[in-house]
């Protein structure tokens, strides 16, 4: 039942900038692992596969938290939920900062993943407190500052880890998260719940969480499937059972977490397939390029320090930051299918090029920047296309599934790449053979290229 509520209180620029600063702080905390992953692997004695798991743990939590945060925001108000989510994020940052080993660091990353659910809550707040035109600008400010925070984290993580310690690269942004959360709490007025009868499909949430965890365990066990067939087979059976149970629960629930009828639309299921494939390619490059930078210069690598890696990755962070607005303009002028086809072609070409041409630093810098630009263009176009394919009441759930699919694609790409490097590690050393990197890039390029076959189905579904 919908309740009659008083008009929301208008907010000033200070409240919006507080949201933006909070987004920047969370973006910084989110991005510190990628440029320092080789350092973390050495200090915590992690294998490449364990490093891959560390790099995607936060995203898995985010995929689970996002739909829950939306439901709670409807029930209790966006600000109420955001402040509490940020308390969880701050706790995760503290755990990561103090972590003496990999299991504790993984726990910290799980808690930090709650930050992903806070972004939609920011958008809820600005839409409730601002007119349509001003809210669009405010959403752009918040989104841009999150990406800007990610760029800052990429740059600062290496110098802080080398100059102070890996502990401080988590602690400093966590302190910023606490301060900016207090600013939001003080400056942003409370927003009334939009609905009084909002319910959470807890069985669906629990089953989806179990599906994601089991899927990740299966991906990690896949390289050893021949050596441990019972374990891998058991995970596959468990995954199938969980998916079957989740489908049944969603079909019978009066308020399902996901309306499964959405998947009957070609424009939607093809969107998710394309998103998955593109994110596999993106994740592979995100994982493989820093590893290749880190390999000793005495071999085929460059012996780059964490600071150097952060600097080398900066162009790709800038490319990712401009890809969203660029994609929006391109979609409006040329259409989603044309933008997607171009983006996928650019990404595929860059991945194949990196597979066979990576003897100079600039090869990797340019290739990674092109991949980041193409990926951002494709994902933004995919979100726009997905939103246009459903009625207004289903926009939230349809686009949130793009986020979940993005996480799954990223997780699959990182885990497969980590497994390829582990399988290609030279006997008696911790250094993968150069051919392992070639194989990883080729696999990513092939998966990305296959998504071109789905674009025709996407176009037909929209026309229908």
């Amino acid at each position: 039942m919908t309740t009659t509520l008083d008009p929301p209180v208008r907010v000033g620029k200070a409240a919006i900038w507080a949201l933006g600063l909070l987004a920047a702080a969370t973006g910084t905390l989110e991005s510190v692992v990628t440029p320092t992953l080789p350092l973390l692997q050495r200090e915590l004695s992690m294998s490449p596969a364990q490093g891959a798991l560390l790099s995607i743990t936060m995203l898995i939590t985010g995929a689970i938290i996002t739909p829950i945060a939306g439901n709670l925001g409807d029930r209790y108000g966006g600000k109420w939920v955001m402040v509490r989510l940020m308390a969880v994020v701050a706790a995760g940052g503290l755990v990561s900062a103090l972590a003496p080993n990999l299991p504790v660091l993984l726990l910290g990353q799980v808690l930090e993943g709650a930050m992903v659910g806070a972004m939609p809550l920011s958008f809820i707040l600005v839409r409730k407190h601002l007119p349509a035109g001003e809210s669009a600008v405010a959403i752009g400010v918040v989104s841009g500052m999150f990406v800007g925070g990610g760029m800052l984290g990429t740059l600062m993580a290496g110098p802080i880890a080398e100059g102070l310690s890996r502990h401080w690269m988590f602690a400093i942004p966590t302190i910023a998260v606490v301060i900016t959360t207090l600013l939001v709490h003080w400056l942003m007025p409370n927003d009334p719940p939009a609905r009084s009868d909002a319910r959470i499909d807890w069985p669906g949430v629990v089953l989806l969480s179990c599906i994601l965890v089991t899927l990740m365990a299966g991906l990690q066990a896949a390289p050893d499937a021949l050596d441990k067939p019972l374990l891998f087979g058991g995970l596959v059976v468990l995954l199938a059972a969980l998916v079957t149970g989740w489908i049944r629960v969603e079909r019978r629930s009066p308020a399902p977490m996901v309306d499964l009828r959405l998947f009957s639309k070609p424009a939607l299921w093809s969107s998710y397939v394309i998103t998955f494939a593109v994110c596999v390619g993106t994740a592979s490059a995100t994982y493989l390029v820093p590893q290749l930078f880190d390999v000793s210069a005495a071999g085929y690598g460059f012996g780059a320090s964490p600071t150097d890696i952060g600097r080398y990755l900066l162009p790709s962070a800038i490319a990712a930051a401009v890809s969203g607005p660029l994609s929006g303009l391109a979609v409006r002028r040329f259409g989603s299918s044309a933008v997607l086809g171009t983006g996928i072609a650019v990404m595929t070409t860059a991945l194949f090029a990196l597979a066979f041409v990576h003897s100079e630093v600039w090869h990797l810098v340019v290739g990674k920047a092109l991949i980041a630009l193409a990926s951002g263009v494709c994902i933004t176009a995919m979100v726009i296309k997905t939103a246009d394919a459903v009625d207004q009441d289903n926009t939230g759930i349809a686009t949130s599934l793009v986020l979940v699919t993005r996480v799954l694609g990223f997780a699959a790409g990182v885990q497969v790449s980590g497994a390829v490097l582990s399988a290609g590690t030279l006997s008696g050393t911790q250094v993968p053979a150069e051919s392992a990197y070639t194989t990883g890039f080729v696999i990513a390029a092939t998966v990305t290229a296959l998504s071109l076959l789905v674009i025709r189905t996407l176009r037909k579904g929209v026309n229908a």
Side-chain angles (χ1 to χ4, degrees):
M1 178 177 72
T2 303
T3 58
T4 301
L5 301 169
D6 295 330
V9 178
R10 288 289 303 274
V11 297
K13 293 182 179 179
I16 300 303
W17 280 107
L19 281 177
L21 290 172
L22 176 59
T26 56
T28 303
L29 182 59
E30 182 202 40
S31 63
V32 297
V33 168
T34 298
T36 59
L37 187 57
L39 179 147
L40 292 172
Q41 289 179 199
R42 284 193 297 270
E43 290 197 4
L44 299 177
S45 301
M46 288 188 284
S47 67
Q50 290 173 324
L53 176 62
L54 176 65
S55 66
I56 51 84
T57 298
M58 184 189 302
L59 294 177
I60 297 173
T61 305
I64 297 170
I65 288 294
T66 299
I68 301 174
N71 278 306
L72 291 176
D74 283 338
R75 177 178 289 183
Y76 300 112
K79 176 185 171 182
W80 189 93
V81 178
M82 175 177 287
V83 170
R84 284 152 181 79
L85 275 184
M86 288 300 101
V88 176
V89 173
L94 179 62
V95 170
S96 296
L98 299 176
N101 51 45
L102 177 59
V104 177
L105 182 55
L106 285 172
L107 173 61
Q109 295 298 290
V110 167
L111 296 174
E112 285 181 32
M115 72 175 67
V116 182
M119 289 299 292
L121 294 173
S122 297
F123 303 154
I124 290 174
L125 285 171
V126 298
R127 284 177 174 171
K128 283 186 177 180
H129 293 299
L130 293 174
E134 294 181 28
S135 68
V137 176
I139 289 173
V141 169
V142 174
S143 300
M145 293 193 73
F146 180 80
V147 175
M151 295 167 56
L152 177 63
T154 300
L155 280 176
M156 64 174 269
I160 291 176
E162 291 182 311
L164 298 174
S165 73
R166 62 176 171 85
H167 305 286
W168 281 103
M169 76 177 187
F170 293 107
I172 292 175
T174 299
I175 294 170
V177 167
V178 172
I179 294 173
T180 52
T181 299
L182 291 174
L183 288 176
V184 170
H185 179 67
W186 291 330
L187 296 174
M188 180 65 66
N190 292 323
D191 58 310
R195 296 172 56 195
S196 63
D197 63 341
R199 291 182 294 176
I200 302 174
D201 174 24
W202 287 114
V205 170
V206 171
L207 284 171
L208 180 60
S209 303
C210 292
I211 287 170
L212 292 172
V213 172
T214 305
L215 178 59
M216 290 308 308
L219 289 171
Q220 196 168 23
D224 300 322
L226 295 178
D227 297 331
K228 301 177 181 178
L230 292 179
L231 174 61
F232 183 72
L235 289 171
V236 172
V237 171
L238 177 60
L239 180 62
L242 289 170
V243 171
T244 302
W246 181 69
I247 291 173
R248 290 181 178 178
V249 166
E250 297 303 276
R251 284 178 174 174
R252 297 176 181 178
S253 174
M257 180 182 181
V258 178
D259 186 351
L260 297 179
R261 291 174 297 180
L262 294 175
F263 291 108
S264 65
K265 296 185 177 183
L268 288 187
W269 66 255
S270 56
S271 295
Y272 302 138
V273 172
I274 293 171
T275 299
F276 181 85
V278 167
C279 289
V280 167
T282 305
S284 298
T286 299
Y287 178 74
L288 292 172
V289 168
Q291 300 285 339
L292 194 50
F293 277 136
D294 181 68
V295 174
S296 172
Y300 54 84
F302 305 96
S305 67
T307 300
D308 292 332
I309 293 174
R311 188 170 68 251
Y312 295 153
L313 293 178
L314 180 60
S316 65
I318 296 174
V322 303
S323 64
L326 177 63
S327 179
L329 293 172
V331 168
R332 185 171 62 182
R333 181 165 184 177
F334 303 108
S336 298
S337 297
V339 172
L340 281 169
T342 302
I344 292 170
V346 170
M347 182 183 295
T348 301
T349 301
L351 286 167
F352 272 123
L354 285 179
F356 302 103
V357 183
H358 49 251
S359 58
E360 300 290 340
V361 167
W362 73 266
H363 295 160
L364 296 176
V365 171
V366 172
K368 181 66 172 66
L370 287 174
I371 291 167
L373 178 65
S375 174
V377 166
C378 288
I379 297 303
T380 302
M382 210 69 270
V383 170
I384 296 172
K385 175 71 79 174
T386 302
D388 290 342
V390 298
D391 56 56
Q392 189 172 2
D393 292 339
N394 287 316
T395 299
I397 186 60
T399 53
S400 69
L401 289 176
V402 173
L403 173 61
V404 174
T405 306
R406 180 184 179 186
V407 171
L408 292 176
F410 196 95
V414 170
Q415 290 287 8
V416 169
S417 299
V420 168
L421 292 193
S422 293
T425 298
L426 302 174
S427 179
T429 73
Q430 295 183 337
V431 180
E434 184 177 6
S435 60
Y437 287 94
T438 299
T439 301
F441 284 123
V442 167
I443 291 173
T446 303
V447 172
T448 304
L450 289 174
S451 65
L452 287 169
L453 302 176
V454 189
I455 292 181
R456 186 176 180 182
T457 301
L458 176 65
R459 187 184 299 116
K460 288 182 177 179
V462 173
N463 293 337

